[in-house]
Amino acid sequence: MTDVSGGGPERSAVPVSTYRLQLTADFRLQDAAALVDYLQALGADWVYLSPILRAEPGSTHGYDVVDHTEVDPERGGTDGLTALAEAAHAAGLGVLIDTVPNHMGVATPVENAWWWDLLLHGREAEHAAAFDVDWEAGDGRVRVPILGDDEDGRSALDDLRVEDGELRYFDHRLPIAPGTADDDASPREVHDRQHYELVNWRRADSELNYRRFFAVNTLAAIRVEDPAVFDGSHVEIGRWFDDGLSDGIRVDHPDGLLDPGAYLERLSERIGGAPVWVEKILEGEEDLPAEWATLGTTGYDALGDIDRVLVDPTGLPTLGQLAGVELTRDAWDDLVHTTKRGIADGILGSEVRRLARLVPEVPDAVDALAEILTAFPVYRSYLPLGDEYLDAALDEAETRRPELADAFAALAPRLRNASDPLAARFQQTSGMVMAKGVEDTAFYRYTALTSLTEVGGDPAETDISVAEFHHRQARRQAEWPSSMTTLSTHDTKRSEDVRARIDALSEVADRWAEHAVALHTSNGFPDRQLEQLVWQAAVGAWPIERERLHAYVEKAAREAGDSTTWTAPDETFEAALHAAVDGLYDSRRANAALLDAVADVEAAGWSNSLVAKAIQLTMPGVPDVYQGSELWDRSLVDPDNRRPVDYAERRAVLARLDEGWLPPVDADGAAKLLVTSRLLRLRREHPSRFTEYTPIGADGPAADHVVAFSRGGVTTVATRLSLRLAEHGGWTSTTVTLPEGRLVDVLTGRELQGGEIRLAALLEQYPVAVLTRPDDAAEAASEE
């Protein structure tokens, strides 16, 4: 047993901050180990790793685990994890590791011993219970949707061949059960004798009989509710804690599990009570179950609060008109109903039909269940917790579809019964429909202000007041003080700096409308809503390489699914789409309009970025910094946001900052690295100064442009709506009252006396100030 838990500076049992790293074959655990000195210097408290169990060969994300018993050799293997843990712990940093309990990668069956065993032996396989298969629905076989279309009267099965003791279909390799491949049997006859049935890929939407991660055929869900499956899938994870290699766990997609609460209890027991966070999306006023063995979420709820307090509501009607989007709760709810129902009837039709097979006595069960899933207002319930959401869904479903009232009445008692298999599986399914219908469809159609369509966000809530922001953070401090906060992740649709610029469009909506019209006139295409998404993405990410923008808009268009789709791309529309993107670079008029739009919001984007980062790093919760985002990071949706990071550049900038350089706001993100490093260090060195949350008001004509709060020993004063502020004459006589006595601005090092302070002086250099006692004064006060 290797114990790397001792020998270095003491580290916190719960992190005061984390820094997320995306591990790949090109950035391995050994590379992360070599980066520890930079992360320590930056001020990060724990290193936060993407999944590290062995994944599909070539995986760039690690969420397609194929073996739970070893660290991925492509990502550095066991030696790499040991090296990283030793380096982190020696530097006083903890290690947080992302884990994937809901599913496994099955794209390459031979790589996944459990799946290979299932295909080889069927129901009698040693690992048959690991996967959630409805054997009866497949007449005793599991359906594998990999076949192409039949052509010219020739079946795709005619392309099967037997080779090296395996059944092959082009590059696909599949096992052959013992005794089923005699010399006289054709490949098709061999196939017909297997425990699996190869079917056309299009049949997955309606006829698949194994549960997946969302609608990804190559990610098969596993049954961690089975103690044997839990133990088998946590062999290596448990070892990390037995050997002192890991200090905490992030749980991916807990809503896919049969019983997330029970899973978290079992996980906590296995890892000795180490801290756990869950990737849980909360909707509206929804609360995280207090009974769960977790410190909180991974922070999307905080992201939404920060973005919305930086949005100017006065510009939203104009933006809505441009996109043809009505910015009301009813309009959003109607759109979500349309997109969720499309998902329930479409790519998740297999899951809905599996639910219906549990209630053969209910007429119209497929239709009725799809409607209830569509109406479900949150990701899922955890019966008996959340039964009010089921009641709301049933009421909404009956309002929209009164002709199904009898079916709803028959389903209701079973859906309310936590011990009923229908209720259990319904809860696993509702989150799938929500995620695919909202995040991956509606978010790409509701394009008035695209920064609002971010993971975990409610676009119908377009903005929040400063008072509401304070209310939510005070609640966070009281109820979930160790929940994570974030601004960017590997899953965000746009990075924080892209959204910061887009937020600013709300302040110049009239000017943006002029630019958008010019872009449409010279460069438009026939999808009004998607067009706004494209122009806003270009403004937010500019300058962006042409190929990156092409890849993004094609993905966005197919996700939106109303002009083109993944399964049936409209070549004519997509050609027009790509021509519009090329026009942003090649058309003088379009490029000029784009550059004018960027110029309108560039300075406000810098301000919003610095303010958002400072608020996130000082508000209640455990702040996470996504890799590379300490400098400007204008990334779009994955895989764009998983590009390699230039750490040599970041080291060089940090060294200059530590020599005393105070960069201007526009110095290629150096000011953001200043904010990040100074506030991470402050939190790590003085956690006792972050134990409260008290709103601080401003006085004067520009008081509404201030977000200010005290954490007990640290005060943050930040600018909001900087363009509107400039239009109204700046700070003029607006003041804020700070704690009495000597204070120092952590960002600039400038000392000042507390009391009533003019904001024009306080925020002269940067749009945000973070103030605390000088260390000597703080120490003297504590001694008294």
Side-chain angles (χ1 to χ4, degrees):
M1 179 180 294
T2 302
D3 186 351
V4 298
S5 60
E10 183 179 351
R11 62 184 179 276
S12 54
V14 174
V16 296
S17 68
T18 61
Y19 188 101
R20 168 85 176 201
L21 293 172
Q22 293 295 115
L23 298 167
T24 66
D26 298 319
F27 185 84
R28 306 167 79 225
L29 285 156
Q30 289 85 348
D31 300 305
L35 198 64
V36 163
D37 64 320
Y38 166 74
L39 300 181
Q40 201 278 340
L42 184 68
D45 192 37
W46 281 27
V47 184
Y48 173 14
L49 304 176
S50 63
I52 62 172
L53 291 172
R54 187 159 73 83
E56 284 278 353
S59 171
T60 60
H61 48 76
Y63 288 97
D64 43 5
V65 173
V66 297
D67 188 344
H68 292 104
T69 66
E70 65 172 326
V71 177
D72 195 344
E74 288 191 2
R75 288 169 168 75
T78 299
D79 290 345
L81 177 58
T82 300
L84 180 278
E86 288 178 343
H89 291 161
L93 277 62
V95 177
L96 172 65
I97 304 180
D98 197 348
T99 59
V100 193
N102 178 68
H103 53 269
M104 296 185 75
V106 297
T108 313
V110 72
E111 297 288 341
N112 186 328
W114 288 13
W115 187 248
W116 187 267
D117 178 46
L118 177 86
L119 298 181
L120 182 63
H121 298 293
R123 289 181 171 184
E124 303 306 315
E126 177 184 357
H127 298 289
F131 297 97
D132 195 352
V133 180
D134 184 353
W135 294 101
E136 284 71 23
D139 294 325
R141 305 168 77 188
V142 60
R143 292 178 179 142
V144 181
I146 61 172
L147 296 181
D149 295 333
D150 297 342
E151 294 184 2
D152 299 324
R154 184 175 183 274
S155 170
L157 289 171
D158 291 337
D159 289 314
L160 292 174
R161 65 189 191 278
V162 175
E163 187 175 308
D164 295 331
E166 297 173 351
L167 192 62
R168 303 284 178 90
Y169 178 71
F170 294 99
D171 292 335
H172 295 280
R173 298 170 55 190
L174 300 134
I176 296 176
T180 61
D182 55 78
D183 293 339
D184 296 329
S186 69
R188 289 189 66 166
E189 289 173 323
V190 171
H191 164 264
D192 292 343
R193 299 167 183 172
Q194 302 311 307
H195 298 287
Y196 55 85
E197 178 189 5
L198 303 184
V199 299
N200 183 274
W201 64 274
R202 300 178 195 277
R203 291 175 61 185
D205 291 353
S206 59
E207 299 177 50
L208 210 62
N209 64 333
Y210 64 89
R211 185 166 58 89
R212 303 165 287 176
F213 170 74
F214 298 158
V216 184
N217 298 336
T218 55
L219 295 177
I222 60 174
R223 300 178 57 254
V224 290
E225 65 272 17
D226 183 321
V229 177
F230 177 95
D231 291 342
S233 60
H234 288 70
V235 170
E236 179 66 7
I237 292 171
R239 185 188 72 83
W240 300 338
F241 290 87
D242 294 342
D243 291 359
L245 296 168
S246 180
D247 303 289
I249 289 291
R250 182 250 199 203
V251 174
D252 180 68
H253 187 47
D255 280 348
L257 306 179
L258 186 74
D259 186 343
Y263 169 80
L264 291 170
E265 286 290 342
R266 189 177 183 91
L267 176 66
S268 180
E269 179 181 352
R270 179 61 188 88
I271 65 176
V276 171
W277 290 265
V278 291
E279 187 223 13
K280 167 63 184 169
I281 305 299
L282 298 170
E283 292 288 320
E285 296 296 316
E286 182 187 10
D287 291 321
L288 190 66
E291 298 84 352
W292 283 7
T294 179
L295 292 179
T297 73
T298 52
Y300 289 117
D301 39 323
L303 179 157
D305 291 346
I306 295 170
D307 268 331
R308 279 157 180 73
V309 82
L310 299 178
V311 168
D312 181 2
T314 63
L316 294 173
T318 298
L319 297 176
Q321 290 172 6
L322 276 174
V325 170
E326 186 180 344
L327 292 168
T328 65
R329 169 62 60 188
D330 287 346
W332 170 248
D333 288 347
D334 285 344
L335 173 61
V336 166
H337 183 273
T338 297
T339 55
K340 288 180 67 177
R341 184 65 204 233
I343 293 297
D345 292 339
I347 60 175
L348 291 179
S350 290
E351 281 69 20
V352 178
R353 285 168 173 78
R354 186 166 183 183
L355 290 172
R357 288 196 291 273
L358 295 173
V359 284
E361 73 281 4
V362 178
D364 300 316
V366 170
D367 193 4
L369 285 163
E371 192 63 31
I372 301 168
L373 288 164
T374 298
F376 214 80
V378 296
Y379 274 66
R380 63 166 286 174
S381 57
Y382 311 93
L383 294 175
L385 301 176
D387 59 343
E388 69 273 19
Y389 299 122
L390 178 58
D391 291 341
L394 287 164
D395 289 345
E396 173 71 10
E398 187 163 351
T399 297
R400 289 183 179 268
R401 299 291 304 281
E403 72 277 17
L404 294 174
D406 290 343
F408 297 144
L411 293 169
R414 294 194 59 182
L415 292 173
R416 290 192 178 100
N417 181 0
S419 63
D420 192 309
L422 177 68
R425 189 166 296 281
F426 180 93
Q427 291 178 101
Q428 290 177 286
T429 307
S430 62
M432 299 184 193
V433 176
M434 176 72 86
K436 296 304 296 182
V438 178
E439 289 179 35
D440 291 344
T441 309
F443 275 8
Y444 289 93
R445 298 186 188 180
Y446 203 73
T447 59
L449 187 66
T450 55
S451 56
L452 300 177
T453 51
E454 192 49 82
V455 180
D458 176 3
E461 182 181 60
T462 55
D463 61 288
I464 61 173
S465 67
V466 174
E468 177 61 20
F469 177 84
H470 287 318
H471 169 72
R472 296 181 184 186
Q473 306 329 306
R475 183 182 178 194
R476 181 187 305 276
Q477 176 63 29
E479 299 177 4
W480 295 97
S482 296
S483 192
M484 295 179 80
T485 68
T486 190
L487 289 176
S488 296
T489 76
H490 59 289
D491 274 338
T492 42
K493 307 297 185 186
R494 302 158 191 84
S495 70
E496 60 206 64
D497 297 320
V498 171
R499 297 197 314 276
R501 273 193 194 168
I502 294 174
D503 284 341
L505 291 176
S506 67
E507 300 181 67
V508 291
D510 291 339
R511 291 208 297 277
W512 168 244
E514 295 175 3
H515 300 315
V517 169
L519 286 167
H520 175 80
T521 301
S522 61
N523 213 32
F525 52 92
D527 185 327
R528 183 179 178 185
Q529 294 173 0
L530 187 66
E531 184 177 344
Q532 284 299 305
L533 180 145
V534 172
W535 305 153
Q536 290 185 24
V539 169
W542 200 263
I544 179 173
E545 296 86 349
R546 187 189 301 243
E547 62 274 13
R548 286 176 54 211
L549 190 56
H550 273 295
Y552 169 73
V553 299
E554 180 173 285
K555 177 173 182 173
R558 292 180 179 181
E559 293 285 306
D562 47 6
S563 290
T564 187
T565 66
W566 290 106
T567 55
D570 184 319
E571 294 181 4
T572 301
F573 175 82
E574 291 191 2
L577 177 68
H578 288 295
V581 172
D582 283 331
L584 294 174
Y585 298 86
D586 301 333
S587 164
R588 181 177 301 176
R589 183 179 179 189
N591 186 254
L594 175 61
L595 293 180
D596 285 347
V598 171
D600 281 346
V601 295
E602 188 171 43
W606 293 331
S607 177
N608 285 344
S609 288
L610 298 183
V611 163
K613 183 57 71 178
I615 290 175
Q616 185 227 350
L617 294 178
T618 57
M619 70 193 286
V622 175
D624 174 53
V625 175
Y626 184 65
Q627 62 173 28
S629 65
E630 60 269 34
L631 289 181
W632 300 144
D633 175 20
R634 299 189 182 93
S635 297
L636 297 168
V637 74
D638 66 280
D640 193 63
N641 57 15
R642 301 173 187 177
R643 290 169 296 134
V645 176
D646 185 346
Y647 283 109
E649 177 187 15
R650 285 156 177 78
R651 288 180 183 272
V653 174
L654 184 60
R656 286 193 65 192
L657 295 174
D658 287 344
E659 292 170 356
W661 178 44
L662 290 180
V665 171
D666 61 350
D668 292 329
K672 190 179 182 192
L673 201 153
L674 175 74
V675 169
T676 304
S677 61
R678 274 43 185 171
L679 299 185
L680 284 177
R681 292 174 183 179
L682 180 66
R683 288 199 76 142
R684 189 177 66 195
E685 294 165 8
H686 302 289
S688 63
R689 302 183 190 182
F690 294 85
T691 57
E692 305 172 8
Y693 187 86
T694 303
I696 295 177
D699 295 302
D704 192 47
H705 290 273
V706 181
V707 180
F709 52 86
S710 169
R711 295 301 317 282
V714 172
T715 300
T716 297
V717 181
T719 305
R720 64 186 292 265
L721 310 185
S722 60
L723 293 174
R724 290 287 190 193
L725 175 66
E727 288 178 4
H728 298 154
W731 292 117
T732 60
S733 58
T734 304
T735 62
V736 66
T737 300
L738 302 176
E740 296 289 347
R742 286 174 60 209
L743 298 173
V744 61
D745 181 352
V746 177
L747 303 181
T748 64
R750 181 172 57 137
E751 289 201 16
L752 63 156
Q753 289 296 317
E756 188 175 60
I757 302 291
R758 292 176 58 249
L759 285 167
L762 181 64
L763 302 178
E764 182 178 18
Q765 186 157 6
Y766 296 121
V768 62
V770 179
L771 305 122
T772 191
R773 303 284 186 195
D775 287 349
D776 56 346
E779 290 168 5
S782 64
E783 291 173 2
E784 294 175 4

